[in-house]
Amino acid sequence: MTTTPEPFEPRIVGFLCNWCSYAGADAAGTSRLKYAPNLRIVRVMCSGRVSPELVVRTFREGADGVMVLG
Amino acid sequence: MNRMGEYRKPRIGVYICQCGSNIAATVDTEAVAEFASRLDGVVLTRVNKYTCSDPGQATIRKDIQEQKLDRVVIAACTPRMHEPTFRRTLESAGLNPYYLEMTNIREQVSWVHPAGEAATHKAMDLVAAAVERVHLHRALYPRKSPIEPAALVVGAGIAGIQAALDIADAGYQVYLVEREPTIGGKMAQLDKTFPTLDCAT
Amino acid sequence: MMDAGRHPNIRLLSYSEVVEVHGYVGNFQVRVKQKPRYVDIERCTGCGACVEACVWKDRVYSEYEAGLGLRGAAYIPFAQAVPMKAVIDPNSCLFLTRGKCSQKCVQACEARAIHFDQKEEFIDLKVGAVVLATGYELTDHPSLARYGYGLYDNVIDGIQFERLSSAAGPTGGRIVTRDGRVPETVVFLHCIGSRDEDAHEYCSRICCMYGAKQAHLALEKTGGRVYQFYIDMRTAGKGYEEFYKRMQHEGVRYIRGKVAEVVPDAENGKLLVRGEDTLLGRYVEIPADLVVLLTAIKPAEGSRELGKLFGVAVDKDGFFAEAHPKLRPVDTTTDGVFLAGCCQSPKDIPDTVAQASGAAAKAIVLLSKREIEIDPTVAEVDRDKCSGCGECILACPYHAIERVEGKAQVNIALCKGCGTCVGACLAKAIIGHHFTDEELIAQIEGIFEREPEYSFP
C-alpha cells in the first residue's frame, strides 16, 4: 500500500477577542491582505475567556495549533 | 429542551450570503449551502445575493413564521457589522434575538483568501461550527434598571457651568462640584476674549 | 456664572472633591468631600468684614491674581465670586496653623459665620449621568527656565497677563512691569512647553489666538512695540484668521522663529530675548521690558486620579480619553460618563461651550430614558458550585463581581460580558451567557466535522 505524501497543512484554531484581534482580522479583510487558509477563527468577547481546558479541548478535537489573540 | 424538559430537535435555517460578488467570487456559496443542508438540525438553506437588504431580511422573517424556524445561522460579513441588524430581524419575526449565530465568510474568508476549494472549505467549516453552536443557544432577555434622574458635573469652569445649565434647563437635578472655593475656573481670570474682545465672565 | 449659582435645579458644591464612586450608568453613587472653609456658608453674607479684619490681610499671594496680587488668610477670591462667601485658608490662617491669633475676623463678623471648629463633611449623591469638566492648568515644565520663567519678575505667563490687563486686576488694568513701569517693548513667545519634545508634544491650540488678543491689549494699553515669536500661526476658527490679520495691521510685529533664551541685560535692567528670524535668516536680539510666555495647557492636577474613580483612562498626555477620536468625542469608555472642555484636549471657548452642550445633551438623552436596558450576554454565578475562592473577583477587569454571603455575585449592570471570570473560575461555577463552555466546544467540534481525519485546506 502506497500513499503519495502530501505537504503538511496544519489545522489552526484561533480564539480572537471581539474588540481587538477579531476586529484586526476584519481589518485585514477590509484591506484585502492575504494569509493562509489554515486558520479557523472563534470569536470571544475577550481572550481572557479562553481557559486552558478550552485550549486542550481544541487540540483534542484535532487542531495542530491554537492561537489565543487578545 | 422545551418547557417540559424534553429534547426537541431545533429547526435551523442557514442563510449563505453572496454579498454581491464579494463572497460569491471566492467562495462556492452553492456548495456551502448544499453542505449546510446536510448538517444536523438544518431544515432550510438559502443563498442570498444580499442577506442584509430589506428583501433578504423579509425572507428570513417569512421563513421563521412559515417554516417554524427556531434558530438562524447567517454566513455573511463580520458580525461586528450586522449582528444587531439580524437580531432585530429575528425579534420582529417573534423569535428571541439570541437564537441567531453569524459567521464571518467575507472579512475572514473571501477577502483574505484566493478563490477556490480552500476558501470554500473554510466557509463550510465555519458554517458547521455555527450550526453546532446555535443548537445550544438559549433565549436571553435584557434586564431593565431605573435611571436616577440627576447628573453630577465635576468642575465648574466654562465647560462645567455650560453643561450644568443645559442639563438643569432640561429639568434635571444637577450637582455641580468644584474643588476651589468659587466657580468660574480659569474663565473668571480672563480679561477680554477674542475675536469679539468682550468680557469673559 | 451667576446663572449657575442661581438656577433652582443646580446644587453648587464648592470647595468640594469627589472621593468615591460606586455603581454604573444610570445609578452612580458618588461621595463628595466638602472641605471646611471655616465659614458657615448659610450665615455668611459676603460683606467682607472678616477680609478687612484679618491680621494677615494682603500678606498671602492670591491664586486668583496668579501671584501678582495679595490677599489675606480670610478672603473672598474675587469681586464677582460665586458663591459670594468668605473662606479661610487653612495654610495661612494664623489660628489654624499656629493656634494663636487675636481672631479679629470672628469679632468683625456680625453674622457670626466664622467657625474654626468646622470639619470636612461627606455628601452622598445618587446620579444617573456624569460630566467631567475638570479643565486645565498652564504648564510649569522645568524647561521653561530657559525663558527666565520663575527667575525674572518680568517674565510672566498668559494668565498673569490677563490679570494685569483686567480692570479688576491688581494694577487696575494697567499693563506695567513688576516695578510699575509702562513697558516700551512687550515680547510674546509662542509654543512654550507645547510642540516641544522636551515638555509637551501636542499643540496647545489656544495660544496663537490668545497671544494675538493679548498683543492687541498690549499695543492698545502701552502704545509700545509688541513682538510675537511664533513657529507658525494656527488660526483655524471662525473669525480667527481675520483677527490675526487685524493684529498685523495694528502693528504687532510677527517674527517666525523660536526663541533660544531670555537673559537679563545688566546695563539697563531689560531682558534680552534672543532667537532667530527664520524668514530673514538672521539672529535677532530684542531688549524687552515684559516677556509673556504663551505656555501650554496641560490637564488639571489630579485628573488621572479622578479618572480612575470613574473608570476613565487618560491618554499619553494625561487628558481624558474619549471613547472614539472621531465618532464619540464626548463619550468615555464608561457608559454614562461624558467629557467637556479642556480635560479632554486643549480647546478654545467656542469649542468648549459646544462640547459642553454636547455632553449635556448626551446626559439628558440618558436621563430621559428613565430605564436602561442591560445586555443579557453577561456572566452569572451558579451559587451551588461557587466555592467563594474569589479568583473571579481578581480577574474581572470591570470590578463587576463582589462576594455576597461568601459567594461570588455579578453586578450585571457593570458586567461587559467579556467572560474573563468564566475562564478564571476553577469550579466552572460561572455561566458566560451566549458564550458558554458548551457553546464554544460545540463550535470547535463543528470546525472539525467536515472531514475529521484530514487537514484543513
Side-chain angles (χ1 to χ4, degrees):
Chain A
M1 217 166 74
T2 53
T3 47
T4 344
E6 284 183 24
F8 174 56
E9 290 287 355
R11 306 200 283 187
I12 302 165
V13 174
F15 293 94
L16 271 62
C17 162
N18 181 62
W19 311 103
C20 56
S21 46
Y22 191 91
D26 281 352
T30 316
S31 332
R32 308 299 196 277
L33 301 177
K34 301 286 177 237
Y35 55 87
N38 301 51
L39 172 68
R40 304 289 182 264
I41 291 173
V42 175
R43 181 169 72 131
V44 286
M45 286 298 137
C46 172
S47 51
R49 171 66 185 84
V50 185
S51 56
E53 297 97 296
L54 223 42
V55 176
V56 172
R57 182 65 184 253
T58 310
F59 279 121
R60 216 178 75 191
E61 291 299 326
D64 298 304
V66 176
M67 301 198 300
V68 182
L69 305 185
Chain B
M1 305 268 229
N2 68 8
R3 231 180 304 168
M4 306 298 287
E6 50 199 28
Y7 182 74
R8 199 189 53 145
K9 198 158 185 165
R11 297 177 59 80
I12 304 171
V14 179
Y15 297 84
I16 315 291
C17 188
Q18 295 187 319
C19 193
S21 63
N22 277 301
I23 294 169
T26 313
V27 171
D28 183 346
T29 47
E30 294 296 342
V32 176
E34 197 278 323
F35 167 79
S37 69
R38 289 185 276 116
L39 294 169
D40 188 33
V42 174
V43 297
L44 177 149
T45 320
R46 284 191 201 278
V47 176
N48 302 78
K49 197 91 187 155
Y50 290 106
T51 313
C52 63
S53 66
D54 284 347
Q57 292 188 55
T59 308
I60 297 173
R61 267 195 294 274
K62 196 158 157 265
D63 290 343
I64 290 170
Q65 280 154 355
E66 290 180 1
Q67 307 286 324
K68 304 273 175 275
L69 298 183
D70 57 11
R71 301 282 195 284
V72 174
V73 168
I74 298 172
C77 54
T78 173
R80 291 170 53 84
M81 178 108 75
H82 277 311
E83 194 172 57
T85 314
F86 292 123
R87 278 188 180 162
R88 281 197 297 273
T89 311
L90 265 64
E91 203 167 17
S92 68
L95 194 59
N96 186 283
Y98 294 91
Y99 282 132
L100 168 77
E101 181 64 20
M102 277 191 84
T103 193
N104 186 342
I105 60 166
R106 191 178 75 172
E107 281 84 348
Q108 297 179 6
V109 179
S110 70
W111 279 354
V112 288
H113 303 314
E117 208 177 32
T120 303
H121 282 167
K122 183 172 176 181
M124 286 174 175
D125 292 344
L126 293 179
V127 168
V131 168
E132 286 300 331
R133 179 171 152 85
V134 87
H135 269 266
L136 299 170
H137 276 353
R138 299 173 66 166
L140 298 173
Y141 302 91
R143 285 190 233 182
K144 303 209 162 171
S145 151
I147 290 175
E148 194 66 41
L152 168 75
V153 177
V154 188
I158 301 182
I161 290 177
Q162 180 69 45
L165 285 172
D166 285 350
I167 299 169
D169 281 344
Y172 298 102
Q173 173 70 47
V174 177
Y175 301 101
L176 181 56
V177 173
E178 167 58 51
R179 78 175 159 192
E180 299 302 326
T182 168
I183 65 170
K186 295 282 184 294
M187 176 183 65
Q189 291 175 287
L190 304 185
D191 187 20
K192 294 166 180 161
T193 56
F194 66 84
T196 47
L197 294 176
D198 53 2
C199 168
T201 45
Chain C
M1 210 161 91
M2 301 287 278
D3 294 345
R6 275 198 295 251
H7 202 295
N9 289 345
I10 298 179
R11 181 170 165 203
L12 190 59
L13 296 166
S14 61
Y15 219 26
S16 301
E17 287 176 36
V18 173
V19 288
E20 254 180 75
V21 180
H22 295 285
Y24 46 87
V25 53
N27 290 280
F28 293 103
Q29 291 110 44
V30 181
R31 172 161 279 205
V32 174
K33 180 176 86 179
Q34 193 151 40
K35 294 171 273 193
R37 61 196 290 152
Y38 305 104
V39 171
D40 182 338
I41 200 158
E42 302 297 328
R43 285 174 168 251
C44 174
T45 60
C47 71
C50 58
V51 177
E52 289 303 317
C54 177
V55 295
W56 276 81
K57 183 176 190 289
D58 290 343
R59 291 171 75 171
V60 184
Y61 280 122
S62 157
E63 295 83 0
Y64 177 72
E65 300 296 358
L68 297 179
L70 298 167
R71 61 165 172 84
Y75 67 107
I76 293 175
F78 55 97
Q80 302 90 10
V82 176
M84 178 59 87
K85 307 285 176 186
V87 54
I88 293 172
D89 173 12
N91 297 318
S92 56
C93 170
L94 269 185
F95 183 71
L96 290 170
T97 52
R98 300 180 204 174
K100 268 173 82 173
C101 180
S102 56
Q103 298 191 10
K104 288 194 174 144
C105 55
V106 178
Q107 297 155 27
C109 182
E110 290 179 11
R112 298 175 180 278
I114 297 177
H115 298 291
F116 283 111
D117 55 355
Q118 211 176 60
K119 297 276 178 300
E120 60 187 24
E121 276 179 42
F122 292 92
I123 301 160
D124 290 314
L125 306 173
K126 282 177 117 178
V127 296
V130 176
V131 176
L132 299 182
T134 50
Y136 70 94
E137 51 195 59
L138 293 183
T139 188
D140 54 355
H141 195 272
S143 68
L144 267 55
R146 78 172 75 123
Y147 307 110
Y149 187 69
L151 299 176
Y152 313 124
D153 277 351
N154 290 320
V155 177
I156 62 174
D157 64 30
I159 287 283
Q160 289 175 318
F161 184 92
E162 293 291 333
R163 296 318 306 147
L164 275 186
S165 175
S166 168
T171 58
R174 285 170 51 248
I175 294 171
V176 290
T177 59
R178 197 64 70 93
D179 49 342
R181 288 179 292 118
V182 176
E184 289 166 10
T185 305
V186 185
V187 181
F188 291 85
L189 312 187
H190 286 243
C191 299
I192 299 302
S194 60
R195 305 178 69 195
D196 180 345
E197 284 172 14
D198 292 340
H200 308 288
E201 244 182 294
Y202 53 85
C203 167
S204 180
R205 245 190 92 183
I206 62 164
C207 327
C208 281
M209 289 312 292
Y210 86 71
K213 178 208 74 174
Q214 293 186 345
H216 166 83
L217 294 171
L219 211 55
E220 184 181 71
K221 294 189 174 186
T222 67
R225 284 178 300 275
V226 176
Y227 293 89
Q228 299 245 339
F229 277 90
Y230 67 100
I231 302 181
D232 40 34
M233 290 297 288
R234 296 182 168 180
T235 58
K238 199 169 179 175
Y240 288 10
E241 178 68 12
E242 293 85 337
F243 189 83
Y244 168 45
K245 281 266 164 61
R246 187 178 140 197
M247 290 311 106
Q248 289 177 316
H249 287 299
E250 282 185 8
V252 178
R253 295 155 206 231
Y254 282 90
I255 298 174
R256 198 187 77 178
K258 185 126 191 179
V259 163
E261 59 176 2
V262 175
V263 294
D265 184 344
E267 283 178 22
N268 52 18
K270 292 197 180 216
L271 295 159
L272 293 175
V273 180
R274 291 172 175 162
E276 188 190 358
D277 185 329
T278 58
L279 292 179
L280 296 177
R282 68 180 187 207
Y283 170 80
V284 284
E285 181 178 277
I286 295 172
D289 302 292
L290 190 62
V291 174
V292 185
L293 305 181
L294 305 178
T295 41
I297 278 179
K298 68 170 184 179
E301 185 80 39
S303 13
R304 190 179 294 265
E305 293 71 23
L306 184 75
K308 264 189 197 150
L309 293 177
F310 288 99
V312 175
V314 296
D315 62 23
K316 68 177 174 45
D317 299 313
F319 294 101
F320 288 136
E322 64 279 11
H324 187 281
K326 287 190 287 276
L327 304 176
R328 298 177 69 200
V330 173
D331 303 78
T332 66
T333 47
T334 303
D335 291 340
V337 178
F338 308 105
L339 302 176
C342 289
C343 64
Q344 183 249 337
S345 72
K347 53 179 66 71
D348 58 20
I349 296 173
D351 283 4
T352 294
V353 173
Q355 195 187 20
S357 286
K362 287 267 180 184
I364 292 164
V365 167
L366 172 63
L367 298 180
S368 66
K369 281 184 183 161
R370 291 162 184 278
E371 268 186 341
I372 190 157
E373 230 176 53
I374 299 167
D375 192 327
T377 60
V378 292
E380 186 182 337
V381 178
D382 181 341
R383 290 183 63 87
D384 292 338
K385 289 187 185 170
C386 175
S387 69
C389 73
E391 281 295 325
C392 53
I393 298 173
L394 297 174
C396 177
Y398 303 101
H399 309 294
I401 310 181
E402 50 190 356
R403 212 187 253 103
V404 177
E405 291 165 8
K407 309 266 174 150
Q409 186 171 310
V410 178
N411 181 337
I412 57 161
L414 288 178
C415 176
K416 303 260 185 205
C418 74
T420 303
C421 58
V422 185
C425 180
L426 300 171
K428 294 194 174 300
I430 308 182
I431 308 152
H433 286 298
H434 214 57
F435 288 88
T436 61
D437 276 345
E438 293 74 20
E439 282 169 302
L440 292 174
I441 289 166
Q443 188 174 0
I444 296 159
E445 286 171 349
I447 289 174
F448 296 100
E449 196 171 295
R450 185 170 49 92
E451 284 180 285
E453 61 272 33
Y454 293 107
S455 53
F456 273 157

